[in-house]
Amino acid sequence: MTHRGLRVVLLGILVLHLPGQAARADAPPIYPWPTPSIRCVLEACNNIQLVDFSLRRFDADGNVAVGTRLRLRDWGFLGVEVDRTHQTLNLTTARWGFDLRRDDRSEGLGAEYRARRLRLRSSAQRETQSANAGWLTQGELALRVSSDFELIIGALKDDRKNPLTADLERPVSTASIGGRWQPSSHFELFAQFADSTLETLSGSRLDRKTYAFDSVFLAGAWRFETGLEYQDLTGRFARREGALRLRADYRVGGHTVIHLAARKKDDVNFGAIAQEAEAGITFFARKHSYDRSGRAAQSTVALHRRAFELGLNETRGYSLEERRRLRERLALSKHRAQLAGLIDSLYRSQVADRNVPLAGFTWNQREDNLDGSRTTTIGLFWSIPWSKERSLGIDQSAVEFLRFSIASTERDISSGFRVQGKRLGLDIALNRELRIEFAWEDPIFTGLDFALDRNLADRFEVGLVYRYGI
């Protein structure tokens, strides 16, 4: 067999090899070839599992994006994402994480390390244009005081010359300190203080002190989320700004959730800068539970605290992706045998608690006083849940398999013109791991697009997404 032929065989095995197909010790070889070198290669490939795969085509520019993620036995995960202008490579082990990324404008790298009570994260990025020499570097140190409290220290330094950014003000140096307290899944509090030096487009400097507080609180059928931020800027363009964010969800019965949210940003001396309001209602085919309540939330806390007792330092999260990353990293640790029962319990709890929306409506309106614009977005979605009976009504065993969505956005600009955009989507879940996604978007014009007379083409996207075990 030639080297070229061997590469073709290996590539085919890598693409087609799905979880659960790894050879058992008592199973006969898949390919009973006599060559010892070939058998060694195939045995190595049987220790590789495909846990993620996505293939997307964007019709507006003909771009194709491919992403894949492999589990390398009990050692780590390797992920790759590639399209015409972006390339990303990441590697995750029980203690370490590395990533490399590059696009047509910049390139960067990052690293993360988790010790018993310490978590370190750093990244560096530079623009590839020769006239923009210099690096944007960031770092974070998190000290795990207990399983429920984490002290976080951060720093940023930007020494790039003439960076390709449209920000009116950009931080060139920042130091911050904060903490996150999670006494239970029903309550979380985060507080942070940051001291920054900003550079404006005119080249002048500002000093900014930022105080931020965020909290999440569940009480019965209610879920509250709040955020408060205050900024004190001194320098040539001195000012004081404050921002308040509120969100409340209320569950009516077991299958209906009402959403209300508001956000407002003010200049203390001159009044409102921006305000936003949101409302919505969602009907669920299964009995609804918030991401921080139910069996899955209890299993998340139990697994996190047990891992801490064993000397493992993880960040607690409640989204599907955060829980998946938690399970995956702990499954790579040397204590995985002691944690196997809790990891399995968390996954089974997520399956039992999963929420399948049946229909919903959202309305969002944002006003920006700086450019005088008002943007209104209305969204509708309807799902057909999949069960043995293929019922269209409430069904506790249902798993969503068709989801239709439509969103319409309208923006009014004070200078006298109005722009509109639309997005249509269709998601088809062939099973819990494999999805086909379609989307068409008529993008909305910005004020800059209008001023430059830029024509934005319609965008069509089709994708195949495989997520194992999520």
Side-chain angles (χ1 to χ4, degrees):
M1 178 178 293
T2 65
H3 291 291
R4 181 179 179 181
L6 179 58
R7 287 197 298 266
V8 171
V9 170
L10 293 179
L11 181 61
I13 295 172
L14 195 62
V15 172
L16 297 177
H17 184 80
L18 298 180
Q21 293 179 325
R24 301 186 306 273
D26 58 346
I30 299 177
Y31 301 100
W33 297 333
T35 308
S37 60
I38 295 295
R39 288 201 300 269
C40 292
V41 170
L42 293 175
E43 289 172 1
C45 289
N46 285 331
N47 291 320
I48 299 175
Q49 290 182 331
L50 179 67
V51 294
D52 286 301
F53 179 79
S54 64
L55 177 64
R56 300 181 185 276
R57 168 67 185 261
F58 307 98
D59 193 53
D61 54 6
N63 192 12
V64 176
V66 180
T68 186
R69 195 159 167 268
L70 306 172
R71 175 168 179 169
L72 312 176
R73 204 171 183 178
D74 292 327
W75 181 76
F77 293 89
L78 178 66
V80 180
E81 296 181 13
V82 178
D83 64 20
R84 181 183 298 171
T85 59
H86 297 76
Q87 301 87 41
T88 302
L89 174 69
N90 60 76
L91 176 65
T92 302
T93 68
R95 295 283 188 182
W96 289 91
F98 302 95
D99 64 89
L100 300 173
R101 52 195 177 278
R102 180 181 175 85
D103 56 35
D104 55 351
R105 298 177 52 180
S106 64
E107 58 188 9
L109 66 159
E112 182 178 15
Y113 174 71
R114 303 177 192 86
R116 182 179 181 88
R117 291 184 178 270
L118 196 65
R119 179 169 50 83
L120 300 174
R121 180 182 300 165
S122 63
S123 65
Q125 176 181 321
R126 74 180 184 95
E127 294 170 355
T128 52
Q129 286 78 1
S130 58
N132 301 323
W135 290 84
L136 169 63
T137 56
Q138 300 181 68
E140 182 181 274
L141 181 153
L143 178 63
R144 175 67 63 180
V145 180
S146 70
S147 64
D148 299 332
F149 182 76
E150 191 175 31
L151 182 67
I152 304 171
I153 300 172
L156 175 148
K157 181 67 175 177
D158 188 353
D159 61 2
R160 294 174 296 173
K161 310 300 181 185
N162 305 315
L164 299 175
T165 175
D167 297 335
L168 298 177
E169 300 167 341
R170 68 181 180 98
V172 294
S173 65
T174 299
S176 64
I177 183 171
R180 179 178 287 107
W181 184 39
Q182 299 173 302
S184 70
S185 62
H186 285 204
F187 180 74
E188 180 175 331
L189 177 65
F190 174 79
Q192 184 185 61
F193 168 74
D195 190 358
S196 305
T197 299
L198 310 181
E199 182 179 77
T200 67
L201 286 179
S202 62
S204 59
R205 294 292 178 103
L206 294 173
D207 292 323
R208 180 181 67 186
K209 291 180 172 55
T210 304
Y211 307 84
F213 300 90
D214 294 283
S215 67
V216 179
F217 177 63
L218 270 68
W222 288 94
R223 182 187 187 276
F224 299 98
E225 186 173 343
T226 64
L228 176 64
E229 183 177 282
Y230 174 76
Q231 297 184 7
D232 186 2
L233 293 94
T234 57
R236 183 177 179 182
F237 304 100
R239 62 187 187 275
R240 289 177 295 169
E241 297 179 355
L244 177 64
R245 175 175 51 85
L246 300 171
R247 178 184 173 93
D249 299 331
Y250 180 67
R251 182 174 55 239
V252 182
H255 299 272
T256 304
V257 177
I258 300 173
H259 321 273
L260 295 172
R263 178 182 178 273
K264 188 174 184 181
K265 184 177 182 180
D266 285 290
D267 186 300
V268 176
N269 297 320
F270 298 100
I273 298 176
Q275 48 266 342
E276 184 175 357
E278 182 178 334
I281 184 170
T282 305
F283 302 96
F284 290 88
R286 294 173 57 91
K287 188 174 182 180
H288 174 269
S289 62
Y290 293 115
D291 54 1
R292 293 171 177 266
S293 63
R295 291 171 50 192
Q298 297 172 6
S299 298
T300 300
V301 176
L303 176 59
H304 183 267
R305 290 179 174 172
R306 178 55 179 156
F308 177 75
E309 292 174 359
L310 295 174
L312 303 175
N313 187 0
E314 294 288 343
T315 300
R316 191 189 305 171
Y318 295 95
S319 68
L320 277 175
E321 192 61 29
E322 289 171 330
R323 282 169 168 155
R324 186 191 195 204
R325 294 289 183 251
L326 176 65
R327 297 196 315 265
E328 288 182 345
R329 284 195 298 264
L330 293 180
L332 298 175
S333 71
K334 63 181 180 180
H335 301 290
R336 54 183 171 269
Q338 297 169 268
L339 296 170
L342 289 172
I343 294 174
D344 182 67
S345 174
L346 174 55
Y347 178 75
R348 294 179 181 275
S349 298
Q350 288 180 255
V351 173
D353 287 352
R354 67 178 179 267
N355 297 314
V356 180
L358 185 64
F361 164 84
T362 59
W363 172 88
N364 178 280
Q365 186 174 88
R366 187 181 190 279
E367 297 183 17
D368 191 328
N369 293 40
L370 296 181
D371 63 9
S373 66
R374 174 183 293 178
T375 305
T376 304
T377 302
I378 297 176
L380 296 169
F381 60 89
W382 173 51
S383 299
I384 301 177
W386 174 269
S387 68
K388 294 180 180 179
E389 295 78 19
R390 294 172 173 78
S391 169
L392 299 182
I394 293 174
D395 185 347
Q396 297 304 312
S397 64
V399 177
E400 173 188 271
F401 82 103
L402 282 180
R403 177 183 172 95
F404 306 92
S405 62
I406 178 172
S408 175
T409 301
E410 181 178 276
R411 178 174 296 157
D412 293 311
I413 309 294
S414 59
S415 57
F417 72 93
R418 174 181 296 178
V419 292
Q420 293 182 329
K422 294 181 177 64
R423 178 180 174 86
L424 303 176
L426 170 63
D427 294 349
I428 304 174
L430 304 180
N431 52 48
R432 283 187 52 80
E433 288 80 34
L434 192 60
R435 304 176 70 91
I436 300 177
E437 301 174 352
F438 300 92
W440 170 82
E441 182 177 11
D442 176 17
I444 191 168
F445 284 76
T446 66
L448 183 59
D449 296 324
F450 182 80
L452 299 178
D453 193 25
R454 289 194 298 209
N455 183 24
L456 300 182
D458 291 359
R459 176 187 176 98
F460 181 77
E461 177 183 347
V462 58
L464 174 69
V465 180
Y466 170 75
R467 303 299 306 275
Y468 171 70
I470 195 169

